[in-house]
Amino acid sequence: MRQLPETDRDAIRIAQDPQFTRWLDQITATGGCAHPVHLSGSTTTHDTATGEILHHYDTRSEPGERLLVRCRNRRATVCAPCSRLHAGDTFHLVRAGLLGGKNIPAAVRHRPRLFVTLTAPSFGPVHGAGERCRPRRDRAECDHGRPLGCGDVHDATDSLVGQPLCADCYDYTGHVLWHAHASKLWDRFVIDVRRRLASSVGLVQSRFAQHARLSFARVAEYQKRAAVHVHAVVRLDGPNGPDDEPPAWGTAELLIDAVHASARRVLARTPYSPAVGELALRWGAQIDARPLHTDGDGPDDDAVAAYVAKYVTKGASETGAGTDHPLTNCDDIESAPVSGHVRTLMRTCWRLGGLPEYEPLRLRAWAHTLGYRGHILTKSRAYSTTYAALRAERAHHMGHADMPDAATERHWRYVGSGHTPGAALIAVGIADDLAESRRLGLEARQAGEWNP
């Protein structure tokens, strides 16, 4: 035993425990979560009329006197099993707003719906993948003596893709401050779309909500140049949301025109800084707004939902645009496993975050995401269901919902998290088995062989 690695010795110790079977049930119930939360406590359900105890659960009978529950981290780099669950919830959340379901009427599939992409502006030329990078007839150089062009053909996996041609020419300050204001820019964009829709049909802007409602779900994605761009599903409903038909003037064409006009118009200004001045921040020139058709040309609804669901599980370290954990000091920046371009963006966040005029932007706290402090996925209230509703539906399906005419008393406390080395090894095996089982089940459904 002593000659075995620590992980193997620990796995053998766990397997020899008399309560190993029950512990294995707990790991399976968490889907093989990589960092489960350990809870201690009890739950008692009793009839409100008679006081009779209907159900009682106590962790004192569990292995280690604790219950393991999922960490629910969305990042695949942190916990792959929980990220898959989150991706599934996201898929149904986005899909319900496109095709109905989850208490959203199926009629929404016939509403004006767009798949919108908004990008960050250029902060300086960067290397690109595909055809010749940046061909030029001359051999011009920038003020720092570096070529203004690149005639190479870069593969998508080339480490140069997304890196500036000249780091000294690149506007790192503008890049970071644009990230810090991206959420505000999105809010102003949505407001302006509503105003433009109202103006285009002769409505007083303040009365738009009495005639129509704009709903959306949007996801933020980092490009190769480490700049955020936005993908959004936008839908036009009647004033009461998905239960209401939009007005006769509400068409996809009108919505597309409003999206393009608003994306070109809106701006956000940075606080004035003696070191930087005041910057006017806008969306980039690349704007795309495609109508979604239930029957016909255009992006497939399920494909759009799957794309959004796939992206929200990606961590910053997986996209190469930052880290998954906050940075506590400058030394963390120097040791972070990122490219030189991203490291400079982090340093810029740290430097600007020390200026009093930028203190409200909390740039140092968000240096690990390069100044971007918005959520990866956001949606308007009336777009579709919520994550909480999806979790409640799953709990009900598994028989964990509260019983009618009964009251439940819960007493829980946090007692730890994570796995021992041997437990982590076993959990990975269980997670892989569950993932393979889901894959085989999906293939069987697609082949028409599934017989529930």
Side-chain angles (χ1 to χ4, degrees), residues 6-278:
E6 179 187 358
T7 300
D8 293 345
R9 293 201 306 270
D10 188 49
I12 293 172
R13 176 190 61 80
I14 294 171
Q16 291 175 338
D17 191 290
Q19 290 185 298
F20 173 70
T21 301
R22 174 55 189 159
W23 177 85
L24 208 58
D25 290 341
Q26 284 202 32
I27 298 297
T28 304
T30 66
C33 174
H35 300 281
V37 176
H38 301 195
L39 301 177
S40 176
S42 63
T43 298
T44 303
T45 302
H46 58 84
D47 191 300
T48 54
T50 65
E52 176 188 0
I53 294 178
L54 303 176
H55 176 74
H56 177 74
Y57 170 80
D58 198 306
T59 57
R60 284 180 292 184
S61 61
E62 296 287 2
E65 298 188 358
R66 57 187 60 191
L67 176 69
L68 306 185
V69 298
R70 286 179 177 269
C71 69
R72 291 183 181 175
N73 196 296
R74 69 167 181 83
R75 297 177 177 88
T77 52
V78 176
C79 181
C82 287
S83 76
R84 283 192 288 267
L85 187 69
H86 187 79
D89 285 349
T90 302
F91 174 81
H92 289 292
L93 184 150
V94 175
R95 189 179 188 275
L98 289 170
L99 298 174
K102 311 298 180 184
N103 296 321
I104 303 297
V108 295
R109 69 181 63 194
H110 303 296
R111 309 277 169 81
R113 304 168 306 152
L114 306 180
F115 186 56
V116 177
T117 300
L118 303 177
T119 61
S122 173
F123 304 107
V126 299
H127 292 278
E131 300 178 353
R132 293 182 65 192
C133 182
R134 288 183 172 271
R136 291 179 66 97
R137 293 180 180 273
D138 56 15
R139 296 177 178 268
E141 296 180 342
C142 68
D143 294 339
H144 305 97
R146 296 184 179 90
L148 292 175
C150 174
D152 296 339
V153 178
H154 302 296
D155 183 79
T157 60
D158 192 327
S159 60
L160 274 179
V161 174
Q163 306 298 303
L165 269 66
C166 176
D168 294 320
C169 290
Y170 194 84
D171 185 9
Y172 283 99
T173 296
H175 189 146
V176 164
L177 292 177
W178 191 90
H179 271 180
H181 291 80
S183 295
K184 179 182 290 187
L185 204 56
W186 170 262
D187 291 341
R188 293 184 177 179
F189 164 75
V190 172
I191 291 171
D192 197 71
V193 169
R194 295 190 185 105
R195 289 174 175 171
R196 288 191 171 274
L197 286 173
S199 298
S200 63
V201 294
L203 291 177
V204 177
Q205 293 178 358
S206 60
R207 295 185 179 179
F208 175 79
Q210 300 174 14
H211 298 266
R213 187 164 190 163
L214 194 69
S215 298
F216 66 85
R218 65 120 176 149
V219 63
E221 178 180 3
Y222 285 91
Q223 296 171 297
K224 285 286 189 179
R225 59 183 173 133
V228 164
H229 65 174
V230 170
H231 297 295
V233 176
V234 179
R235 189 185 71 228
L236 190 64
D237 298 317
N240 295 319
D243 294 320
D244 238 356
E245 289 296 326
W249 51 259
T251 63
E253 291 73 20
L254 189 71
L255 190 54
I256 289 173
D257 291 342
V259 164
H260 279 279
S262 296
R264 288 191 295 265
R265 178 181 180 277
V266 297
L267 61 85
R269 297 187 182 276
T270 64
Y272 174 77
S273 167
V276 178
E278 182 186 72

Side-chain angles (χ1 to χ4, degrees), residues 73-80 83-84 87 156-157 221-224 226 309-325 337-339 342 346 368-370 376:
N73 196 296
R74 69 167 181 83
R75 297 177 177 88
T77 52
V78 176
C79 181
S83 76
R84 283 192 288 267
T157 60
E221 178 180 3
Y222 285 91
Q223 296 171 297
K224 285 286 189 179
K310 179 180 180 180
Y311 187 77
V312 296
T313 64
K314 291 185 178 180
S317 60
E318 189 177 2
T319 61
T323 64
D324 291 327
H325 304 287
V338 296
S339 67
V342 172
M346 290 178 171
H368 64 298
T369 57
L370 316 183
I376 293 298

Side-chain angles (χ1 to χ4, degrees), residues 270-347:
T270 64
Y272 174 77
S273 167
V276 178
E278 182 186 72
L279 303 182
L281 306 174
R282 300 177 181 272
W283 293 108
Q286 294 179 323
I287 303 165
D288 188 30
R290 308 182 199 177
L292 293 168
H293 301 294
T294 303
D295 299 307
D297 297 332
D300 178 77
D301 294 324
D302 280 353
V304 169
Y307 173 80
V308 173
K310 179 180 180 180
Y311 187 77
V312 296
T313 64
K314 291 185 178 180
S317 60
E318 189 177 2
T319 61
T323 64
D324 291 327
H325 304 287
L327 307 172
T328 56
N329 52 54
C330 288
D331 292 339
D332 289 346
I333 296 176
E334 302 309 316
S335 61
V338 296
S339 67
H341 174 56
V342 172
R343 199 182 313 281
T344 304
L345 286 167
M346 290 178 171
R347 293 192 191 113

